[in-house]
Short mmCIF file of all heavy atoms in Angstrom, two decimals:
data_model
loop_
_atom_site.label_atom_id
_atom_site.label_comp_id
_atom_site.label_asym_id
_atom_site.label_seq_id
_atom_site.Cartn_x
_atom_site.Cartn_y
_atom_site.Cartn_z
N ARG A 452 120.12 88.44 104.70
CA ARG A 452 119.96 89.83 104.26
C ARG A 452 118.48 90.33 104.21
O ARG A 452 118.26 91.50 104.19
CB ARG A 452 120.51 89.84 102.85
CG ARG A 452 122.07 89.71 102.85
CD ARG A 452 122.60 89.67 101.40
NE ARG A 452 122.47 90.91 100.68
CZ ARG A 452 122.66 91.11 99.43
NH1 ARG A 452 122.92 90.08 98.65
NH2 ARG A 452 122.49 92.28 98.86
N LEU A 453 117.52 89.43 104.24
CA LEU A 453 116.11 89.87 104.15
C LEU A 453 115.65 90.48 105.55
O LEU A 453 115.88 89.82 106.58
CB LEU A 453 115.20 88.67 103.77
CG LEU A 453 115.23 88.29 102.31
CD1 LEU A 453 114.48 87.02 102.05
CD2 LEU A 453 114.80 89.45 101.40
N ARG A 454 115.14 91.66 105.49
CA ARG A 454 114.79 92.39 106.78
C ARG A 454 113.32 92.19 107.11
O ARG A 454 112.54 93.05 107.00
CB ARG A 454 115.19 93.87 106.59
CG ARG A 454 116.54 94.10 106.19
CD ARG A 454 117.50 94.60 107.25
NE ARG A 454 116.78 95.65 108.09
CZ ARG A 454 116.92 95.66 109.43
NH1 ARG A 454 117.59 94.73 110.01
NH2 ARG A 454 116.36 96.58 110.07
N PHE A 455 112.99 90.95 107.54
CA PHE A 455 111.59 90.57 107.89
C PHE A 455 111.64 89.73 109.16
O PHE A 455 112.67 89.00 109.39
CB PHE A 455 111.02 89.74 106.71
CG PHE A 455 110.86 90.59 105.47
CD1 PHE A 455 111.95 90.79 104.57
CD2 PHE A 455 109.68 91.24 105.15
CE1 PHE A 455 111.85 91.55 103.38
CE2 PHE A 455 109.53 92.01 104.01
CZ PHE A 455 110.62 92.14 103.16
N GLY A 456 110.50 89.80 109.86
CA GLY A 456 110.43 89.06 111.16
C GLY A 456 110.45 87.47 110.95
O GLY A 456 110.87 86.75 111.92
N THR A 457 109.91 87.05 109.80
CA THR A 457 109.97 85.64 109.52
C THR A 457 110.49 85.48 108.14
O THR A 457 110.07 86.26 107.22
CB THR A 457 108.55 85.00 109.60
OG1 THR A 457 108.05 85.08 110.96
CG2 THR A 457 108.53 83.61 109.10
N VAL A 458 111.42 84.54 107.88
CA VAL A 458 111.91 84.23 106.58
C VAL A 458 111.70 82.80 106.28
O VAL A 458 112.20 81.95 107.11
CB VAL A 458 113.40 84.67 106.40
CG1 VAL A 458 113.94 84.22 104.99
CG2 VAL A 458 113.55 86.15 106.51
N TRP A 459 111.01 82.47 105.23
CA TRP A 459 110.86 81.00 104.90
C TRP A 459 111.75 80.61 103.75
O TRP A 459 111.82 81.40 102.74
CB TRP A 459 109.36 80.77 104.49
CG TRP A 459 108.36 81.01 105.53
CD1 TRP A 459 108.17 80.18 106.69
CD2 TRP A 459 107.31 81.98 105.61
NE1 TRP A 459 107.16 80.67 107.34
CE2 TRP A 459 106.62 81.74 106.80
CE3 TRP A 459 106.93 83.01 104.77
CZ2 TRP A 459 105.52 82.58 107.14
CZ3 TRP A 459 105.88 83.85 105.15
CH2 TRP A 459 105.25 83.62 106.32
N ILE A 460 112.46 79.54 103.86
CA ILE A 460 113.34 78.96 102.83
C ILE A 460 112.53 77.78 102.23
O ILE A 460 112.32 76.85 102.99
CB ILE A 460 114.71 78.62 103.30
CG1 ILE A 460 115.37 79.81 104.02
CG2 ILE A 460 115.60 78.12 102.15
CD1 ILE A 460 116.69 79.46 104.73
N ASN A 461 112.26 77.82 101.02
CA ASN A 461 111.59 76.66 100.39
C ASN A 461 110.28 76.36 101.07
O ASN A 461 109.95 75.13 101.24
CB ASN A 461 112.54 75.46 100.24
CG ASN A 461 113.66 75.74 99.28
OD1 ASN A 461 113.62 76.64 98.46
ND2 ASN A 461 114.77 74.96 99.39
N ASP A 462 109.59 77.31 101.37
CA ASP A 462 108.18 77.14 101.97
C ASP A 462 107.57 78.54 102.08
O ASP A 462 108.24 79.60 101.79
CB ASP A 462 108.24 76.48 103.33
CG ASP A 462 107.02 75.54 103.57
OD1 ASP A 462 105.99 75.89 103.08
OD2 ASP A 462 107.30 74.47 104.09
N PHE A 463 106.29 78.65 102.49
CA PHE A 463 105.67 79.94 102.65
C PHE A 463 104.47 79.79 103.58
O PHE A 463 103.77 78.83 103.59
CB PHE A 463 105.24 80.51 101.34
CG PHE A 463 105.19 82.02 101.36
CD1 PHE A 463 106.31 82.75 101.03
CD2 PHE A 463 104.07 82.71 101.75
CE1 PHE A 463 106.39 84.17 101.11
CE2 PHE A 463 104.06 84.08 101.84
CZ PHE A 463 105.22 84.86 101.51
N ASN A 464 104.29 80.83 104.43
CA ASN A 464 103.12 80.91 105.33
C ASN A 464 103.05 79.84 106.32
O ASN A 464 101.95 79.40 106.74
CB ASN A 464 101.85 80.95 104.45
CG ASN A 464 101.12 82.27 104.64
OD1 ASN A 464 101.45 83.00 105.61
ND2 ASN A 464 100.20 82.56 103.80
N VAL A 465 104.21 79.47 106.87
CA VAL A 465 104.24 78.49 107.93
C VAL A 465 104.43 79.25 109.25
O VAL A 465 105.34 80.05 109.39
CB VAL A 465 105.49 77.53 107.74
CG1 VAL A 465 105.52 76.49 108.84
CG2 VAL A 465 105.44 76.94 106.39
N TYR A 466 103.56 79.00 110.18
CA TYR A 466 103.69 79.60 111.55
C TYR A 466 103.21 78.60 112.52
O TYR A 466 102.35 77.78 112.19
CB TYR A 466 102.86 80.93 111.67
CG TYR A 466 101.43 80.78 111.21
CD1 TYR A 466 100.44 80.36 112.16
CD2 TYR A 466 101.07 81.01 110.00
CE1 TYR A 466 99.14 80.27 111.79
CE2 TYR A 466 99.78 80.86 109.53
CZ TYR A 466 98.73 80.46 110.47
OH TYR A 466 97.46 80.31 110.05
N PHE A 467 103.89 78.50 113.59
CA PHE A 467 103.39 77.64 114.71
C PHE A 467 103.81 78.08 116.06
O PHE A 467 104.52 79.08 116.18
CB PHE A 467 103.95 76.18 114.47
CG PHE A 467 105.44 76.08 114.08
CD1 PHE A 467 106.38 76.18 115.03
CD2 PHE A 467 105.82 75.98 112.74
CE1 PHE A 467 107.75 76.13 114.68
CE2 PHE A 467 107.15 75.92 112.37
CZ PHE A 467 108.11 75.98 113.35
N THR A 468 103.07 77.57 117.02
CA THR A 468 103.08 78.17 118.37
C THR A 468 104.39 78.39 119.02
O THR A 468 104.65 79.25 119.79
CB THR A 468 102.19 77.20 119.22
OG1 THR A 468 100.99 76.93 118.58
CG2 THR A 468 101.86 77.87 120.62
N GLN A 469 105.33 77.45 118.70
CA GLN A 469 106.65 77.42 119.43
C GLN A 469 107.56 78.54 118.88
O GLN A 469 108.54 78.84 119.53
CB GLN A 469 107.30 76.08 119.26
CG GLN A 469 106.59 74.91 119.85
CD GLN A 469 105.35 74.43 119.06
OE1 GLN A 469 105.00 74.89 118.00
NE2 GLN A 469 104.69 73.39 119.61
N ALA A 470 107.26 79.07 117.73
CA ALA A 470 108.26 80.04 117.15
C ALA A 470 107.65 81.44 117.15
O ALA A 470 106.48 81.59 117.00
CB ALA A 470 108.51 79.66 115.68
N PRO A 471 108.50 82.50 117.50
CA PRO A 471 107.98 83.82 117.56
C PRO A 471 107.52 84.35 116.25
O PRO A 471 107.93 83.97 115.17
CB PRO A 471 109.25 84.62 118.03
CG PRO A 471 110.35 83.82 117.50
CD PRO A 471 109.96 82.44 117.64
N TRP A 472 106.54 85.24 116.30
CA TRP A 472 105.91 85.86 115.18
C TRP A 472 105.83 87.39 115.38
O TRP A 472 105.39 87.88 116.49
CB TRP A 472 104.52 85.35 114.96
CG TRP A 472 103.75 85.95 113.76
CD1 TRP A 472 102.94 87.04 113.82
CD2 TRP A 472 103.87 85.51 112.46
NE1 TRP A 472 102.46 87.28 112.50
CE2 TRP A 472 103.05 86.43 111.70
CE3 TRP A 472 104.62 84.48 111.82
CZ2 TRP A 472 102.88 86.27 110.27
CZ3 TRP A 472 104.43 84.32 110.41
CH2 TRP A 472 103.60 85.26 109.72
N GLY A 473 106.28 88.13 114.42
CA GLY A 473 106.13 89.65 114.54
C GLY A 473 106.92 90.28 113.40
O GLY A 473 107.51 89.58 112.60
N GLY A 474 106.82 91.60 113.40
CA GLY A 474 107.40 92.31 112.22
C GLY A 474 108.55 93.18 112.50
O GLY A 474 108.68 93.72 113.57
N TYR A 475 109.42 93.33 111.47
CA TYR A 475 110.43 94.35 111.45
C TYR A 475 109.72 95.67 111.00
O TYR A 475 108.55 95.63 110.44
CB TYR A 475 111.51 94.05 110.39
CG TYR A 475 112.61 93.12 110.88
CD1 TYR A 475 112.36 92.11 111.78
CD2 TYR A 475 113.85 93.22 110.29
CE1 TYR A 475 113.41 91.21 112.11
CE2 TYR A 475 114.88 92.31 110.62
CZ TYR A 475 114.68 91.31 111.54
OH TYR A 475 115.69 90.47 111.92
N LYS A 476 110.40 96.75 111.05
CA LYS A 476 109.97 98.02 110.48
C LYS A 476 108.47 98.33 110.87
O LYS A 476 108.14 98.03 112.00
CB LYS A 476 110.18 98.08 108.99
CG LYS A 476 111.67 97.85 108.59
CD LYS A 476 111.98 98.19 107.18
CE LYS A 476 112.13 96.96 106.36
NZ LYS A 476 112.43 97.24 104.94
N GLN A 477 107.66 98.78 109.95
CA GLN A 477 106.33 99.23 110.33
C GLN A 477 105.38 98.09 110.42
O GLN A 477 104.17 98.25 110.71
CB GLN A 477 105.84 100.31 109.36
CG GLN A 477 106.59 101.50 109.50
CD GLN A 477 106.03 102.74 108.65
OE1 GLN A 477 104.87 102.87 108.60
NE2 GLN A 477 106.88 103.61 108.10
N SER A 478 105.87 96.84 110.36
CA SER A 478 104.91 95.69 110.52
C SER A 478 104.74 95.40 112.03
O SER A 478 103.89 94.45 112.33
CB SER A 478 105.45 94.48 109.74
OG SER A 478 105.22 94.64 108.39
N GLY A 479 105.39 96.10 112.92
CA GLY A 479 104.96 95.87 114.28
C GLY A 479 106.13 96.11 115.28
O GLY A 479 107.24 96.45 114.97
N LEU A 480 105.63 95.80 116.54
CA LEU A 480 106.53 95.95 117.68
C LEU A 480 106.38 94.75 118.62
O LEU A 480 105.19 94.45 118.85
CB LEU A 480 106.13 97.14 118.57
CG LEU A 480 106.55 98.53 118.17
CD1 LEU A 480 105.95 99.54 119.18
CD2 LEU A 480 108.03 98.67 118.20
N GLY A 481 107.39 94.12 119.01
CA GLY A 481 107.27 92.96 119.95
C GLY A 481 107.02 91.69 119.16
O GLY A 481 106.93 91.69 117.92
#
Side-chain angles (χ1 to χ4, degrees):
R452 293 175 67 193
L453 287 172
R454 307 254 317 135
F455 295 83
T457 295
V458 173
W459 293 293
I460 306 171
N461 294 340
D462 217 322
F463 207 89
N464 244 344
V465 183
Y466 51 88
F467 42 84
T468 311
Q469 293 78 359
W472 179 266
Y475 279 30
K476 300 194 256 179
Q477 294 188 36
S478 286
L480 280 179

